[in-house]
Amino acid sequence: MDVVSAAKPRESLIARRQRATRARIAAAAADRVAAHGLAGATVEQIAHAAEVGRATFFRYFSSKEDAVAEGITTRWLDSITGALARQPADLSATEAVVAAFTELGDGFDAVSDEVRELATLTRSSPALSAWTLQIHLRYEAAIAELVAPRLGDRAPDDPRPRMIGALAMAAVRIALDDWLAHGGSLPQRVRAAVSSVRVG
């Protein structure tokens, strides 16, 4: 057994199954909302689509909204990391972030109602707002990990990757707030906000 394996115990079969069940429920919730809207998706429908019972659903999520938010969040996290990973190697860290979020704007019109509904939902209570903040921290960490290699020679405690991730997500939140309040094009607002991110 190598040092890495000894230091990091393998995840148990039960834990893997629980994680897979939670992910399946969240994905089913996101699918139902995408197809029928938040009001048109019920816990029973989500549980049926995920092939679990109602009681199992509530072992993993406290509400329909919680499952929907996680399902959609996971998709967006996958989209963000995928878009960043596809950027050419010669782009700087900030250039790669701007290009990735510009790419994500393509096709936004098809999901704009879903994004507006979820954004409004997550601003509707302190509990959901706090949950959203935790999700954004996951986004920030994922962005930081992907842009770090683009910064060249850096110390292990270099704050720039985390700063870029935090500033990028702050820019997205500001653009989303402005879009909800004033309308217009969310992709254009995000592009303008993220383009203002500069880390030396």
Side-chain angles (χ1 to χ4, degrees):
M1 180 181 292
D2 59 36
V3 175
V4 174
S5 297
K8 187 177 182 180
R10 181 178 298 176
E11 186 179 33
S12 72
L13 178 60
I14 291 175
R16 290 200 303 273
R17 285 178 175 170
Q18 289 175 336
R19 184 159 52 82
T21 299
R22 182 181 179 91
R24 192 168 70 250
I25 295 170
D31 285 342
R32 292 298 301 185
V33 168
H36 304 285
L38 187 61
T42 67
V43 168
E44 288 74 16
Q45 291 168 342
I46 293 168
H48 178 75
E51 300 181 340
V52 300
R54 179 184 173 90
T56 299
F57 176 95
F58 283 109
R59 279 203 294 273
Y60 289 92
F61 296 100
S62 62
S63 67
K64 171 183 74 174
E65 290 79 8
D66 190 16
V68 170
E70 178 158 329
I72 294 176
T73 292
T74 299
R75 290 185 178 179
W76 277 108
L77 182 58
D78 291 344
S79 296
I80 291 170
T81 54
L84 262 174
R86 287 191 294 272
Q87 300 312 310
D90 60 339
L91 294 183
S92 70
T94 52
E95 288 171 342
V97 169
V98 172
F101 277 96
T102 298
E103 178 182 318
L104 290 173
D106 296 339
F108 170 78
D109 288 343
V111 295
S112 61
D113 290 343
E114 179 182 322
V115 172
R116 183 183 296 277
E117 192 169 21
L118 181 63
T120 302
L121 169 69
T122 56
R123 288 159 172 74
S124 65
S125 76
L128 282 173
S129 294
W131 186 91
T132 303
L133 177 59
Q134 293 303 311
I135 294 304
H136 283 177
L137 291 176
R138 286 174 56 191
Y139 288 164
E140 291 170 10
I143 292 171
E145 183 178 351
L146 285 167
V147 302
R150 296 177 182 270
L151 293 170
D153 187 21
R154 58 187 175 81
D157 60 349
D158 190 332
R160 289 177 297 167
R162 290 184 62 189
M163 286 291 295
I164 292 171
L167 289 170
M169 289 312 303
V172 170
R173 287 195 294 273
I174 291 168
L176 189 55
D177 286 342
D178 288 345
W179 176 66
L180 290 172
H182 307 294
S185 167
L186 180 57
Q188 288 180 7
R189 288 186 181 279
V190 169
R191 189 178 305 115
V194 174
S195 295
S196 68
V197 172
R198 290 290 180 270
V199 176

